Each structure stands twice: as structure tokens, then as C-alpha cells.
Amino acid sequence: MSQSRVVRTVAGTGAGTGAGAVGMRPQMSDPARESSRSAPPPPRTPRAEPTRLGPGRAPGGSPSAGRPDGSTGVGPLTGLGVSLVLVAACVVGALLDLFLVGGPAWALVALYIAACGYTATRVRPADWFAALVAPPLAFAAAMIVLAQLVPQSFGSGLLGTAATTFELLAGKAKALYFGAALSAVILLVRRMRQTS
């Protein structure tokens, strides 16, 4: 009787062990997990700081060519800009001459010629005609201002002012023609460079 109990106990233990072995999954080692656990973490790469570009700088570090001709600073002049620059230069020169010598002299001529060269260089191609027409008109406007301020030898009124204006223009005809010719030459050179 004791032997049968021992046999049953052993059989029950074996059955339980078998059932436990069937119900449990064997623990298998995963080589990928093991290697990922043992490998050190990758080093941190420093964050790239955004580069701050200064005014007029391109991303490559060179000055940006904001205009087709590569020039920087003030943009090209429009027809209105050409007229304003020329009139301002001529009137300021005429007033300087009036206060210094009492009539048209070197300040008007110098500022007029300088303004002619500047406007012909800076005018945009669409308004080249303005750089040819505006110089004589601006010079005439300065002479009209002077004719109003200087003593009129041809009498007062509209006719006296007109006669004094023509007299002043005749006295500075060479400067008038030189400034207009300078504008024409600069515009011609720019036109030839653009077409070539």
C-alpha cells in the first residue's frame, strides 16, 4: 500500500511537472536586445545655430546683388527722381551764387553738371528719356528763380522776368549745353553696354 502511494505521488508530480512545462514558454535570449543594451548611447550632435546675416549679405556670405546691375545702396532713379535731383541742385546752386556774388556763377554750374552726371548714371532704363529732357528744364527753372530775385534791368512784370531769364540763360549757355551733353554721353555708354 505504501508503494502504490509512492507511485501515485511520483506520477502526480511528473504530470504536474509536464503540465507546467507545457504551459510555460522557455526564456530565449535575443541577441539584438542584448547588443542594444550593452552598446553605449550615440553621442549628441551639437545643434547648428542659425547664421545671422547682416544687411546686404547673401546666405553664401557675399554681398547680395539686390539689383540686376549688382549695385548696392540707393536704387535706380525714376523720372520724377531725376527731375527732383536736378531741380534741387540747380536751385541750391543759384541761391548760393545769389548770396555770394549776386548772380549766377560757379556754384550753379558745378552743381548742375554734377547733378547731370549723377542722374544719367543712376536713372533706370525705363526713364532714360527723362535724364535727357530734365537737365535743360531744371537749369531754366533755376534761372527763373534768379530772375525773380535779382534786380531786373528790363523792367518789372512778366515780360521783364522773361527777358531777364533769357539773359541769364545766354550768359550760362556753355554750362547748359555741357551738362546736357554729359548726360547724353553717359546714357549712350550705358545703352551700348546693355545691348552688347
Side-chain angles (χ1 to χ4, degrees), residues 102-125:
W106 58 270
L108 172 61
V109 172
L111 288 178
Y112 167 69
I113 293 174
C116 287
Y118 177 76
T119 53
T121 305
R122 301 298 302 171
V123 68
R124 63 182 184 178

Side-chain angles (χ1 to χ4, degrees), residues 85-160:
V85 169
L86 283 166
V87 169
C90 291
V91 170
V92 169
L95 293 177
L96 280 175
D97 283 339
L98 180 64
F99 292 138
L100 294 176
V101 295
W106 58 270
L108 172 61
V109 172
L111 288 178
Y112 167 69
I113 293 174
C116 287
Y118 177 76
T119 53
T121 305
R122 301 298 302 171
V123 68
R124 63 182 184 178
D127 293 323
W128 281 359
F129 185 70
L132 285 175
V133 176
L137 297 178
F139 196 82
M143 290 302 178
I144 292 173
V145 172
L146 276 179
Q148 290 286 338
L149 299 175
V150 299
Q152 298 178 359
S153 56
F154 298 97
S156 59
L158 183 61
L159 290 177

Side-chain angles (χ1 to χ4, degrees), residues 52-63:
R52 295 184 179 179
L53 302 177
R57 302 291 293 182
S62 60

Side-chain angles (χ1 to χ4, degrees), residues 9-96:
T9 306
V10 171
T13 307
T17 308
V22 170
M24 294 176 58
R25 291 185 180 177
Q27 295 289 334
M28 298 183 67
S29 64
D30 190 0
R33 283 186 183 176
E34 292 296 330
S35 62
S36 65
R37 286 178 185 172
S38 62
R44 284 187 175 182
T45 57
R47 238 175 165 184
E49 292 292 331
T51 57
R52 295 184 179 179
L53 302 177
R57 302 291 293 182
S62 60
S64 62
R67 299 174 188 84
D69 58 353
S71 61
T72 57
V74 183
L77 292 173
T78 61
L80 179 61
V82 168
S83 302
L84 290 177
V85 169
L86 283 166
V87 169
C90 291
V91 170
V92 169
L95 293 177
L96 280 175

